[in-house]
PDB file of all heavy atoms in Angstrom:
ATOM      1  N   GLY C 269       0.779  -1.155   0.029  1.00 25.00           N
ATOM      2  CA  GLY C 269      -0.004   0.062  -0.027  1.00 25.00           C
ATOM      3  C   GLY C 269       0.878   1.313   0.032  1.00 25.00           C
ATOM      4  O   GLY C 269       1.915   1.326  -0.498  1.00 25.00           O
ATOM      5  N   GLY C 270       0.316   2.392   0.673  1.00 26.00           N
ATOM      6  CA  GLY C 270       0.990   3.521   0.719  1.00 26.00           C
ATOM      7  C   GLY C 270       2.254   3.447   1.587  1.00 26.00           C
ATOM      8  O   GLY C 270       2.370   2.663   2.516  1.00 26.00           O
ATOM      9  N   VAL C 271       3.233   4.284   1.202  1.00 28.00           N
ATOM     10  CA  VAL C 271       4.594   4.151   1.849  1.00 28.00           C
ATOM     11  C   VAL C 271       4.793   5.342   2.710  1.00 28.00           C
ATOM     12  O   VAL C 271       4.540   6.446   2.178  1.00 28.00           O
ATOM     13  CB  VAL C 271       5.694   3.963   0.889  1.00 28.00           C
ATOM     14  CG1 VAL C 271       6.990   3.964   1.545  1.00 28.00           C
ATOM     15  CG2 VAL C 271       5.448   2.614   0.038  1.00 28.00           C
ATOM     16  N   THR C 272       5.354   5.229   3.854  1.00 28.00           N
ATOM     17  CA  THR C 272       5.830   6.405   4.592  1.00 28.00           C
ATOM     18  C   THR C 272       7.177   6.142   5.036  1.00 28.00           C
ATOM     19  O   THR C 272       7.735   5.021   4.882  1.00 28.00           O
ATOM     20  CB  THR C 272       4.871   6.617   5.862  1.00 28.00           C
ATOM     21  OG1 THR C 272       5.111   5.481   6.725  1.00 28.00           O
ATOM     22  CG2 THR C 272       3.551   6.800   5.588  1.00 28.00           C
ATOM     23  N   ALA C 273       7.911   7.161   5.342  1.00 30.00           N
ATOM     24  CA  ALA C 273       9.352   6.984   5.712  1.00 30.00           C
ATOM     25  C   ALA C 273       9.663   7.984   6.845  1.00 30.00           C
ATOM     26  O   ALA C 273       9.426   9.151   6.702  1.00 30.00           O
ATOM     27  CB  ALA C 273      10.264   7.248   4.624  1.00 30.00           C
ATOM     28  N   GLY C 274      10.347   7.417   7.874  1.00 33.00           N
ATOM     29  CA  GLY C 274      10.951   8.394   8.817  1.00 33.00           C
ATOM     30  C   GLY C 274      12.155   8.970   8.177  1.00 33.00           C
ATOM     31  O   GLY C 274      12.709   8.429   7.258  1.00 33.00           O
ATOM     32  N   ALA C 275      12.657  10.116   8.622  1.00 35.00           N
ATOM     33  CA  ALA C 275      13.801  10.674   8.117  1.00 35.00           C
ATOM     34  C   ALA C 275      14.899   9.820   8.054  1.00 35.00           C
ATOM     35  O   ALA C 275      15.458   9.355   9.086  1.00 35.00           O
ATOM     36  CB  ALA C 275      14.133  11.894   8.920  1.00 35.00           C
ATOM     37  N   ALA C 276      15.433   9.374   6.934  1.00 37.00           N
ATOM     38  CA  ALA C 276      16.504   8.438   6.644  1.00 37.00           C
ATOM     39  C   ALA C 276      16.312   7.147   7.377  1.00 37.00           C
ATOM     40  O   ALA C 276      17.172   6.359   7.634  1.00 37.00           O
ATOM     41  CB  ALA C 276      17.807   9.071   7.259  1.00 37.00           C
ATOM     42  N   GLY C 277      15.027   6.769   7.575  1.00 37.00           N
ATOM     43  CA  GLY C 277      14.676   5.577   8.372  1.00 37.00           C
ATOM     44  C   GLY C 277      14.396   4.345   7.290  1.00 37.00           C
ATOM     45  O   GLY C 277      14.599   4.510   6.138  1.00 37.00           O
ATOM     46  N   THR C 278      13.795   3.390   7.860  1.00 36.00           N
ATOM     47  CA  THR C 278      13.523   2.081   7.051  1.00 36.00           C
ATOM     48  C   THR C 278      12.071   2.407   6.484  1.00 36.00           C
ATOM     49  O   THR C 278      11.318   3.166   6.879  1.00 36.00           O
ATOM     50  CB  THR C 278      13.527   0.915   7.886  1.00 36.00           C
ATOM     51  OG1 THR C 278      12.651   0.978   8.979  1.00 36.00           O
ATOM     52  CG2 THR C 278      15.073   0.671   8.368  1.00 36.00           C
ATOM     53  N   LEU C 279      11.841   1.454   5.404  1.00 37.00           N
ATOM     54  CA  LEU C 279      10.552   1.493   4.681  1.00 37.00           C
ATOM     55  C   LEU C 279       9.449   0.973   5.653  1.00 37.00           C
ATOM     56  O   LEU C 279       9.544   0.030   6.265  1.00 37.00           O
ATOM     57  CB  LEU C 279      10.545   0.747   3.530  1.00 37.00           C
ATOM     58  CG  LEU C 279       9.509   0.777   2.459  1.00 37.00           C
ATOM     59  CD1 LEU C 279       9.384   2.273   1.988  1.00 37.00           C
ATOM     60  CD2 LEU C 279       9.633  -0.165   1.495  1.00 37.00           C
ATOM     61  N   LEU C 280       8.312   1.710   5.765  1.00 32.00           N
ATOM     62  CA  LEU C 280       7.227   1.366   6.647  1.00 32.00           C
ATOM     63  C   LEU C 280       5.976   1.263   5.854  1.00 32.00           C
ATOM     64  O   LEU C 280       5.786   2.237   4.969  1.00 32.00           O
ATOM     65  CB  LEU C 280       7.034   2.349   7.777  1.00 32.00           C
ATOM     66  CG  LEU C 280       8.350   2.655   8.621  1.00 32.00           C
ATOM     67  CD1 LEU C 280       8.089   3.902   9.578  1.00 32.00           C
ATOM     68  CD2 LEU C 280       8.676   1.316   9.362  1.00 32.00           C
ATOM     69  N   GLY C 281       5.224   0.341   6.153  1.00 33.00           N
ATOM     70  CA  GLY C 281       3.802   0.263   5.458  1.00 33.00           C
ATOM     71  C   GLY C 281       2.830   0.244   6.651  1.00 33.00           C
ATOM     72  O   GLY C 281       3.052   0.083   7.666  1.00 33.00           O
ATOM     73  N   PRO C 282       1.587   0.643   6.166  1.00 30.00           N
ATOM     74  CA  PRO C 282       0.425   0.792   7.120  1.00 30.00           C
ATOM     75  C   PRO C 282       0.082  -0.515   7.779  1.00 30.00           C
ATOM     76  O   PRO C 282       0.051  -1.559   7.215  1.00 30.00           O
ATOM     77  CB  PRO C 282      -0.696   1.130   6.332  1.00 30.00           C
ATOM     78  CG  PRO C 282      -0.159   1.560   5.011  1.00 30.00           C
ATOM     79  CD  PRO C 282       1.189   0.949   4.790  1.00 30.00           C
ATOM     80  N   ALA C 283       0.178  -0.601   9.083  1.00 30.00           N
ATOM     81  CA  ALA C 283      -0.151  -1.796   9.823  1.00 30.00           C
ATOM     82  C   ALA C 283      -1.539  -2.447   9.451  1.00 30.00           C
ATOM     83  O   ALA C 283      -2.464  -1.785   9.209  1.00 30.00           O
ATOM     84  CB  ALA C 283      -0.124  -1.553  11.398  1.00 30.00           C
ATOM     85  N   GLY C 284      -1.373  -3.708   9.295  1.00 33.00           N
ATOM     86  CA  GLY C 284      -2.770  -4.448   9.092  1.00 33.00           C
ATOM     87  C   GLY C 284      -3.124  -4.481   7.654  1.00 33.00           C
ATOM     88  O   GLY C 284      -4.187  -5.071   7.340  1.00 33.00           O
ATOM     89  N   THR C 285      -2.416  -3.867   6.789  1.00 35.00           N
ATOM     90  CA  THR C 285      -2.845  -3.869   5.261  1.00 35.00           C
ATOM     91  C   THR C 285      -2.225  -5.129   4.635  1.00 35.00           C
ATOM     92  O   THR C 285      -1.307  -5.715   4.996  1.00 35.00           O
ATOM     93  CB  THR C 285      -2.277  -2.635   4.701  1.00 35.00           C
ATOM     94  OG1 THR C 285      -0.904  -2.616   4.663  1.00 35.00           O
ATOM     95  CG2 THR C 285      -2.911  -1.400   5.129  1.00 35.00           C
ATOM     96  N   ALA C 286      -2.838  -5.570   3.539  1.00 40.00           N
ATOM     97  CA  ALA C 286      -2.477  -6.740   2.767  1.00 40.00           C
ATOM     98  C   ALA C 286      -2.775  -6.597   1.329  1.00 40.00           C
ATOM     99  O   ALA C 286      -3.981  -6.289   1.062  1.00 40.00           O
ATOM    100  CB  ALA C 286      -3.167  -7.988   3.364  1.00 40.00           C
ATOM    101  N   HIS C 287      -1.852  -6.603   0.536  1.00 44.00           N
ATOM    102  CA  HIS C 287      -2.134  -6.359  -0.955  1.00 44.00           C
ATOM    103  C   HIS C 287      -1.364  -7.504  -1.652  1.00 44.00           C
ATOM    104  O   HIS C 287      -0.388  -8.140  -1.115  1.00 44.00           O
ATOM    105  CB  HIS C 287      -1.631  -5.066  -1.388  1.00 44.00           C
ATOM    106  CG  HIS C 287      -2.258  -3.903  -0.648  1.00 44.00           C
ATOM    107  ND1 HIS C 287      -3.454  -3.325  -1.276  1.00 44.00           N
ATOM    108  CD2 HIS C 287      -2.150  -3.274   0.417  1.00 44.00           C
ATOM    109  CE1 HIS C 287      -3.937  -2.327  -0.484  1.00 44.00           C
ATOM    110  NE2 HIS C 287      -3.089  -2.361   0.633  1.00 44.00           N
ATOM    111  N   ALA C 288      -1.717  -7.717  -2.939  1.00 50.00           N
ATOM    112  CA  ALA C 288      -1.057  -8.720  -3.804  1.00 50.00           C
ATOM    113  C   ALA C 288       0.310  -8.096  -3.947  1.00 50.00           C
ATOM    114  O   ALA C 288       0.480  -6.903  -4.096  1.00 50.00           O
ATOM    115  CB  ALA C 288      -1.851  -8.836  -5.055  1.00 50.00           C
ATOM    116  N   ALA C 289       1.232  -9.008  -4.090  1.00 53.00           N
ATOM    117  CA  ALA C 289       2.593  -8.679  -4.303  1.00 53.00           C
ATOM    118  C   ALA C 289       2.757  -7.984  -5.703  1.00 53.00           C
ATOM    119  O   ALA C 289       2.014  -8.301  -6.673  1.00 53.00           O
ATOM    120  CB  ALA C 289       3.575  -9.746  -4.306  1.00 53.00           C
ATOM    121  N   PRO C 290       3.459  -6.864  -5.818  1.00 55.00           N
ATOM    122  CA  PRO C 290       3.579  -6.021  -7.110  1.00 55.00           C
ATOM    123  C   PRO C 290       4.132  -7.081  -8.144  1.00 55.00           C
ATOM    124  O   PRO C 290       4.906  -7.998  -7.810  1.00 55.00           O
ATOM    125  CB  PRO C 290       4.684  -5.065  -6.757  1.00 55.00           C
ATOM    126  CG  PRO C 290       4.362  -4.874  -5.286  1.00 55.00           C
ATOM    127  CD  PRO C 290       4.226  -6.234  -4.678  1.00 55.00           C
ATOM    128  N   ARG C 291       3.768  -6.836  -9.409  1.00 76.00           N
ATOM    129  CA  ARG C 291       4.144  -7.788 -10.374  1.00 76.00           C
ATOM    130  C   ARG C 291       5.329  -7.311 -11.275  1.00 76.00           C
ATOM    131  O   ARG C 291       5.858  -8.141 -12.066  1.00 76.00           O
ATOM    132  CB  ARG C 291       2.932  -8.004 -11.362  1.00 76.00           C
ATOM    133  CG  ARG C 291       1.731  -8.699 -10.584  1.00 76.00           C
ATOM    134  CD  ARG C 291       0.671  -8.919 -11.636  1.00 76.00           C
ATOM    135  NE  ARG C 291      -0.437  -9.605 -10.933  1.00 76.00           N
ATOM    136  CZ  ARG C 291      -1.580 -10.098 -11.646  1.00 76.00           C
ATOM    137  NH1 ARG C 291      -1.742  -9.702 -12.900  1.00 76.00           N
ATOM    138  NH2 ARG C 291      -2.570 -10.614 -11.024  1.00 76.00           N
ATOM    139  N   SER C 292       5.611  -6.054 -11.264  1.00 93.00           N
ATOM    140  CA  SER C 292       6.698  -5.550 -12.163  1.00 93.00           C
ATOM    141  C   SER C 292       7.589  -4.552 -11.534  1.00 93.00           C
ATOM    142  O   SER C 292       7.321  -4.070 -10.391  1.00 93.00           O
ATOM    143  CB  SER C 292       5.976  -4.980 -13.428  1.00 93.00           C
ATOM    144  OG  SER C 292       5.383  -3.761 -12.998  1.00 93.00           O
ATOM    145  N   ILE C 293       8.767  -4.275 -12.176  1.00 97.00           N
ATOM    146  CA  ILE C 293       9.612  -3.347 -11.621  1.00 97.00           C
ATOM    147  C   ILE C 293       8.908  -1.954 -11.539  1.00 97.00           C
ATOM    148  O   ILE C 293       8.990  -1.327 -10.512  1.00 97.00           O
ATOM    149  CB  ILE C 293      10.832  -2.983 -12.641  1.00 97.00           C
ATOM    150  CG1 ILE C 293      11.730  -4.275 -12.417  1.00 97.00           C
ATOM    151  CG2 ILE C 293      11.464  -1.757 -12.370  1.00 97.00           C
ATOM    152  CD1 ILE C 293      12.884  -4.353 -13.515  1.00 97.00           C
ATOM    153  N   GLY C 294       8.077  -1.608 -12.542  1.00 96.00           N
ATOM    154  CA  GLY C 294       7.316  -0.399 -12.432  1.00 96.00           C
ATOM    155  C   GLY C 294       6.432  -0.304 -11.155  1.00 96.00           C
ATOM    156  O   GLY C 294       6.237   0.641 -10.485  1.00 96.00           O
ATOM    157  N   ASP C 295       5.740  -1.418 -11.029  1.00 96.00           N
ATOM    158  CA  ASP C 295       4.737  -1.492  -9.821  1.00 96.00           C
ATOM    159  C   ASP C 295       5.439  -1.313  -8.499  1.00 96.00           C
ATOM    160  O   ASP C 295       5.125  -0.450  -7.646  1.00 96.00           O
ATOM    161  CB  ASP C 295       4.002  -2.905  -9.806  1.00 96.00           C
ATOM    162  CG  ASP C 295       3.017  -3.044 -10.773  1.00 96.00           C
ATOM    163  OD1 ASP C 295       2.561  -2.071 -11.369  1.00 96.00           O
ATOM    164  OD2 ASP C 295       2.744  -4.183 -11.138  1.00 96.00           O
ATOM    165  N   VAL C 296       6.608  -1.982  -8.393  1.00 96.00           N
ATOM    166  CA  VAL C 296       7.375  -1.863  -7.126  1.00 96.00           C
ATOM    167  C   VAL C 296       7.882  -0.569  -7.013  1.00 96.00           C
ATOM    168  O   VAL C 296       7.851   0.185  -5.806  1.00 96.00           O
ATOM    169  CB  VAL C 296       8.452  -2.956  -6.978  1.00 96.00           C
ATOM    170  CG1 VAL C 296       9.361  -2.683  -5.792  1.00 96.00           C
ATOM    171  CG2 VAL C 296       7.965  -4.341  -7.178  1.00 96.00           C
ATOM    172  N   ALA C 297       8.583   0.077  -7.980  1.00 97.00           N
ATOM    173  CA  ALA C 297       9.087   1.263  -7.915  1.00 97.00           C
ATOM    174  C   ALA C 297       8.232   2.408  -7.620  1.00 97.00           C
ATOM    175  O   ALA C 297       8.490   3.407  -6.847  1.00 97.00           O
ATOM    176  CB  ALA C 297       9.911   1.685  -9.219  1.00 97.00           C
ATOM    177  N   ARG C 298       7.001   2.345  -8.135  1.00 96.00           N
ATOM    178  CA  ARG C 298       5.918   3.411  -7.890  1.00 96.00           C
ATOM    179  C   ARG C 298       5.604   3.411  -6.422  1.00 96.00           C
ATOM    180  O   ARG C 298       5.195   4.419  -5.888  1.00 96.00           O
ATOM    181  CB  ARG C 298       4.781   3.214  -8.781  1.00 96.00           C
ATOM    182  CG  ARG C 298       5.095   3.580 -10.351  1.00 96.00           C
ATOM    183  CD  ARG C 298       4.015   3.605 -11.183  1.00 96.00           C
ATOM    184  NE  ARG C 298       4.327   3.963 -12.545  1.00 96.00           N
ATOM    185  CZ  ARG C 298       4.603   2.902 -13.401  1.00 96.00           C
ATOM    186  NH1 ARG C 298       4.726   1.663 -13.095  1.00 96.00           N
ATOM    187  NH2 ARG C 298       5.019   3.194 -14.684  1.00 96.00           N
ATOM    188  N   ARG C 299       5.483   2.188  -5.890  1.00 97.00           N
ATOM    189  CA  ARG C 299       5.025   2.118  -4.475  1.00 97.00           C
ATOM    190  C   ARG C 299       6.213   2.744  -3.383  1.00 97.00           C
ATOM    191  O   ARG C 299       5.919   2.893  -2.352  1.00 97.00           O
ATOM    192  CB  ARG C 299       4.824   0.726  -3.995  1.00 97.00           C
ATOM    193  CG  ARG C 299       3.647   0.087  -4.705  1.00 97.00           C
ATOM    194  CD  ARG C 299       3.450  -1.354  -4.553  1.00 97.00           C
ATOM    195  NE  ARG C 299       2.357  -1.959  -5.252  1.00 97.00           N
ATOM    196  CZ  ARG C 299       1.295  -2.621  -4.726  1.00 97.00           C
ATOM    197  NH1 ARG C 299       1.406  -2.851  -3.457  1.00 97.00           N
ATOM    198  NH2 ARG C 299       0.353  -3.162  -5.516  1.00 97.00           N
ATOM    199  N   LEU C 300       7.396   2.915  -4.102  1.00 98.00           N
ATOM    200  CA  LEU C 300       8.561   3.514  -3.362  1.00 98.00           C
ATOM    201  C   LEU C 300       8.732   4.923  -3.480  1.00 98.00           C
ATOM    202  O   LEU C 300       9.479   5.651  -2.779  1.00 98.00           O
ATOM    203  CB  LEU C 300       9.737   2.879  -3.742  1.00 98.00           C
ATOM    204  CG  LEU C 300      10.106   1.380  -3.324  1.00 98.00           C
ATOM    205  CD1 LEU C 300      11.176   0.754  -3.973  1.00 98.00           C
ATOM    206  CD2 LEU C 300      10.335   1.335  -1.771  1.00 98.00           C
ATOM    207  N   ASP C 301       7.816   5.564  -4.306  1.00 98.00           N
ATOM    208  CA  ASP C 301       8.054   6.939  -4.749  1.00 98.00           C
ATOM    209  C   ASP C 301       8.155   7.894  -3.509  1.00 98.00           C
ATOM    210  O   ASP C 301       8.997   8.778  -3.353  1.00 98.00           O
ATOM    211  CB  ASP C 301       6.840   7.419  -5.697  1.00 98.00           C
ATOM    212  CG  ASP C 301       7.251   6.994  -7.061  1.00 98.00           C
ATOM    213  OD1 ASP C 301       8.395   6.672  -7.430  1.00 98.00           O
ATOM    214  OD2 ASP C 301       6.307   7.134  -7.938  1.00 98.00           O
ATOM    215  N   ARG C 302       7.011   7.850  -2.662  1.00 97.00           N
ATOM    216  CA  ARG C 302       7.049   8.659  -1.558  1.00 97.00           C
ATOM    217  C   ARG C 302       8.274   8.428  -0.544  1.00 97.00           C
ATOM    218  O   ARG C 302       8.728   9.456  -0.022  1.00 97.00           O
ATOM    219  CB  ARG C 302       5.756   8.487  -0.656  1.00 97.00           C
ATOM    220  CG  ARG C 302       4.452   9.108  -1.477  1.00 97.00           C
ATOM    221  CD  ARG C 302       3.155   8.701  -0.756  1.00 97.00           C
ATOM    222  NE  ARG C 302       3.142   9.015   0.542  1.00 97.00           N
ATOM    223  CZ  ARG C 302       2.278   8.508   1.447  1.00 97.00           C
ATOM    224  NH1 ARG C 302       1.297   7.704   1.055  1.00 97.00           N
ATOM    225  NH2 ARG C 302       2.183   8.900   2.710  1.00 97.00           N
ATOM    226  N   HIS C 303       8.500   7.278  -0.243  1.00 98.00           N
ATOM    227  CA  HIS C 303       9.710   6.970   0.512  1.00 98.00           C
ATOM    228  C   HIS C 303      10.997   7.683  -0.039  1.00 98.00           C
ATOM    229  O   HIS C 303      11.816   8.087   0.742  1.00 98.00           O
ATOM    230  CB  HIS C 303       9.779   5.381   0.626  1.00 98.00           C
ATOM    231  CG  HIS C 303      11.127   5.054   1.290  1.00 98.00           C
ATOM    232  ND1 HIS C 303      11.294   5.300   2.762  1.00 98.00           N
ATOM    233  CD2 HIS C 303      12.301   4.454   0.929  1.00 98.00           C
ATOM    234  CE1 HIS C 303      12.490   4.809   2.992  1.00 98.00           C
ATOM    235  NE2 HIS C 303      13.061   4.260   1.978  1.00 98.00           N
ATOM    236  N   LEU C 304      11.194   7.457  -1.328  1.00 98.00           N
ATOM    237  CA  LEU C 304      12.389   7.887  -1.904  1.00 98.00           C
ATOM    238  C   LEU C 304      12.419   9.439  -1.899  1.00 98.00           C
ATOM    239  O   LEU C 304      13.571  10.004  -1.820  1.00 98.00           O
ATOM    240  CB  LEU C 304      12.563   7.264  -3.336  1.00 98.00           C
ATOM    241  CG  LEU C 304      12.710   5.722  -3.317  1.00 98.00           C
ATOM    242  CD1 LEU C 304      12.855   5.372  -4.780  1.00 98.00           C
ATOM    243  CD2 LEU C 304      14.010   5.428  -2.531  1.00 98.00           C
ATOM    244  N   ILE C 305      11.384  10.020  -2.056  1.00 98.00           N
ATOM    245  CA  ILE C 305      11.382  11.529  -2.200  1.00 98.00           C
ATOM    246  C   ILE C 305      11.708  12.012  -0.632  1.00 98.00           C
ATOM    247  O   ILE C 305      12.464  12.950  -0.473  1.00 98.00           O
ATOM    248  CB  ILE C 305       9.978  12.059  -2.757  1.00 98.00           C
ATOM    249  CG1 ILE C 305       9.919  11.911  -4.197  1.00 98.00           C
ATOM    250  CG2 ILE C 305       9.881  13.625  -2.247  1.00 98.00           C
ATOM    251  CD1 ILE C 305       8.577  12.248  -4.689  1.00 98.00           C
ATOM    252  N   ALA C 306      11.096  11.301   0.282  1.00 98.00           N
ATOM    253  CA  ALA C 306      11.499  11.723   1.755  1.00 98.00           C
ATOM    254  C   ALA C 306      12.973  11.418   2.085  1.00 98.00           C
ATOM    255  O   ALA C 306      13.616  12.291   2.729  1.00 98.00           O
ATOM    256  CB  ALA C 306      10.607  10.870   2.613  1.00 98.00           C
ATOM    257  N   LEU C 307      13.484  10.356   1.452  1.00 98.00           N
ATOM    258  CA  LEU C 307      14.925  10.170   1.700  1.00 98.00           C
ATOM    259  C   LEU C 307      15.782  11.152   1.030  1.00 98.00           C
ATOM    260  O   LEU C 307      16.622  11.654   1.614  1.00 98.00           O
ATOM    261  CB  LEU C 307      15.282   8.684   1.198  1.00 98.00           C
ATOM    262  CG  LEU C 307      16.706   8.307   1.002  1.00 98.00           C
ATOM    263  CD1 LEU C 307      17.315   8.258   2.282  1.00 98.00           C
ATOM    264  CD2 LEU C 307      16.866   7.020   0.350  1.00 98.00           C
ATOM    265  N   ARG C 308      15.396  11.431  -0.299  1.00 98.00           N
ATOM    266  CA  ARG C 308      16.132  12.515  -0.866  1.00 98.00           C
ATOM    267  C   ARG C 308      16.150  13.842  -0.047  1.00 98.00           C
ATOM    268  O   ARG C 308      17.190  14.552   0.019  1.00 98.00           O
ATOM    269  CB  ARG C 308      15.768  12.719  -2.198  1.00 98.00           C
ATOM    270  CG  ARG C 308      16.418  13.831  -3.055  1.00 98.00           C
ATOM    271  CD  ARG C 308      15.877  15.074  -3.060  1.00 98.00           C
ATOM    272  NE  ARG C 308      16.785  16.121  -3.554  1.00 98.00           N
ATOM    273  CZ  ARG C 308      16.527  17.386  -3.879  1.00 98.00           C
ATOM    274  NH1 ARG C 308      15.245  17.798  -3.838  1.00 98.00           N
ATOM    275  NH2 ARG C 308      17.479  18.290  -4.262  1.00 98.00           N
ATOM    276  N   ARG C 309      14.973  14.221   0.428  1.00 98.00           N
ATOM    277  CA  ARG C 309      14.962  15.536   1.169  1.00 98.00           C
ATOM    278  C   ARG C 309      15.676  15.413   2.400  1.00 98.00           C
ATOM    279  O   ARG C 309      16.334  16.420   2.767  1.00 98.00           O
ATOM    280  CB  ARG C 309      13.441  15.769   1.382  1.00 98.00           C
ATOM    281  CG  ARG C 309      12.642  16.161   0.124  1.00 98.00           C
ATOM    282  CD  ARG C 309      11.235  16.450   0.342  1.00 98.00           C
ATOM    283  NE  ARG C 309      10.620  16.750  -1.036  1.00 98.00           N
ATOM    284  CZ  ARG C 309       9.274  16.954  -1.065  1.00 98.00           C
ATOM    285  NH1 ARG C 309       8.448  16.879  -0.008  1.00 98.00           N
ATOM    286  NH2 ARG C 309       8.816  17.122  -2.265  1.00 98.00           N
ATOM    287  N   ASP C 310      15.790  14.403   3.097  1.00 98.00           N
ATOM    288  CA  ASP C 310      16.573  14.167   4.203  1.00 98.00           C
ATOM    289  C   ASP C 310      18.030  14.301   4.002  1.00 98.00           C
ATOM    290  O   ASP C 310      18.753  15.082   4.572  1.00 98.00           O
ATOM    291  CB  ASP C 310      16.282  12.818   4.858  1.00 98.00           C
ATOM    292  CG  ASP C 310      17.173  12.486   6.109  1.00 98.00           C
ATOM    293  OD1 ASP C 310      17.012  13.178   7.172  1.00 98.00           O
ATOM    294  OD2 ASP C 310      18.114  11.735   5.922  1.00 98.00           O
TER     295      ASP C 310
END
């Protein structure tokens, strides 16, 4: 699901959520977008 990130922390997902595993590089990478932008800003 949605991704959050503590400043320079590890990848966190919403507790209790369950989704099908992403099928492609694009799927996985897009789910990381918010985390990576937060990482870059840190």
Side-chain angles (χ1 to χ4, degrees):
V271 175
T272 60
T278 57
L279 191 66
L280 304 174
T285 58
H287 298 267
R291 295 182 178 181
S292 70
I293 286 173
D295 290 339
V296 177
R298 289 184 185 90
R299 294 174 185 232
L300 287 166
D301 279 347
R302 288 170 54 194
H303 172 67
L304 295 177
I305 288 175
L307 173 61
R308 182 262 166 167
R309 293 177 181 177
D310 175 69

